[in-house]
Amino acid sequence: MSNEKRDTKKYWALFIVSGIALTYFTIFLPQAFWLGLPTFFGGLAMAMDWV
């Protein structure tokens, strides 16, 4: 099993941008809140190098 570290900067950016979009959806378009969740948590998992 490899213990190499990946460059996770783009995944952190994805996480932050999707967090902003999720906040926007929550405030202005609550019915679309669920659309941002997969990207938000997927970005977090990839940024923390869990996958």
Side-chain angles (χ1 to χ4, degrees):
M1 193 164 169
S2 176
N3 288 334
E4 295 177 20
K5 285 290 196 178
R6 292 189 298 174
D7 185 28
T8 58
K9 291 177 187 171
K10 62 182 176 182
Y11 299 130
W12 280 113
L14 175 68
F15 172 68
I16 291 168
V17 168
S18 63
I20 292 168
L22 195 62
T23 304
Y24 175 82
F25 285 152
T26 302
I27 295 170
F28 297 108
L29 200 60
Q31 65 270 23
F33 169 77
W34 303 104
L35 295 174
L37 286 180
T39 308
F40 180 77
F41 287 112
L44 176 63
M46 291 186 292
M48 297 293 286
D49 206 14
W50 291 340
V51 285

